[in-house]
Amino acid sequence: QKAATRVREIEKADYDTLHKDYSESVDALQRAIAVLKKQAHDRPQASFAQVSNLMSLNLIPAEAKKALDLFLQTSQDPEGLEVSAPEAHGYEFQSHGVIEMLEK
């Protein structure tokens, strides 16, 4: 009977350890899902005002500023793709499938 009691104590300790591990994993998954859901939106494309603000930063090399300046000068022409192209997002959230998988 002592041996059986000892076996049950060992099994209970193993179960408690496993249950704690599973509980922590489920909690971590729930927090990960919450973070992903909070970020589940598309980000807008940078506007020309945002790009032109880069010109005043000292962190940007002079060559990059020249390239930005040329880009801004050519992109202000109303003809071409700017008129007919649909507005695109800078970043489209693509992890909806991951969220669905984690929720199962």
Side-chain angles (χ1 to χ4, degrees):
Q1 186 172 0
K2 288 182 181 181
T5 302
R6 180 72 181 135
V7 168
R8 283 192 297 271
E9 289 172 354
I10 292 171
E11 288 175 347
K12 183 180 181 335
D14 289 345
Y15 169 79
D16 288 343
T17 303
L18 189 62
H19 184 267
K20 181 181 176 189
D21 184 44
Y22 284 164
S23 296
E24 290 172 352
S25 296
V26 168
D27 183 52
L29 282 173
Q30 289 172 340
R31 286 183 281 134
I33 290 169
V35 167
L36 284 173
K37 282 185 175 181
K38 189 167 54 170
Q39 297 184 8
H41 58 88
D42 297 334
R43 276 67 171 183
Q45 190 78 288
S47 68
F48 287 118
Q50 290 171 320
V51 174
S52 62
N53 286 341
L54 295 175
M55 301 297 282
S56 64
L57 294 177
N58 292 330
L59 301 173
I60 298 187
E63 297 167 3
K65 286 183 181 182
K66 287 179 187 176
L68 282 172
D69 192 36
L70 287 173
F71 171 74
L72 290 173
Q73 287 175 4
T74 59
S75 62
Q76 290 176 358
D77 183 17
E79 298 175 11
L81 292 178
E82 186 178 13
V83 174
S84 62
E87 186 172 333
H89 294 289
Y91 171 77
E92 294 183 10
F93 187 77
Q94 299 178 358
S95 297
H96 296 290
V98 173
I99 292 173
E100 291 174 10
M101 180 190 68
L102 290 175
E103 289 180 330
K104 287 184 181 183

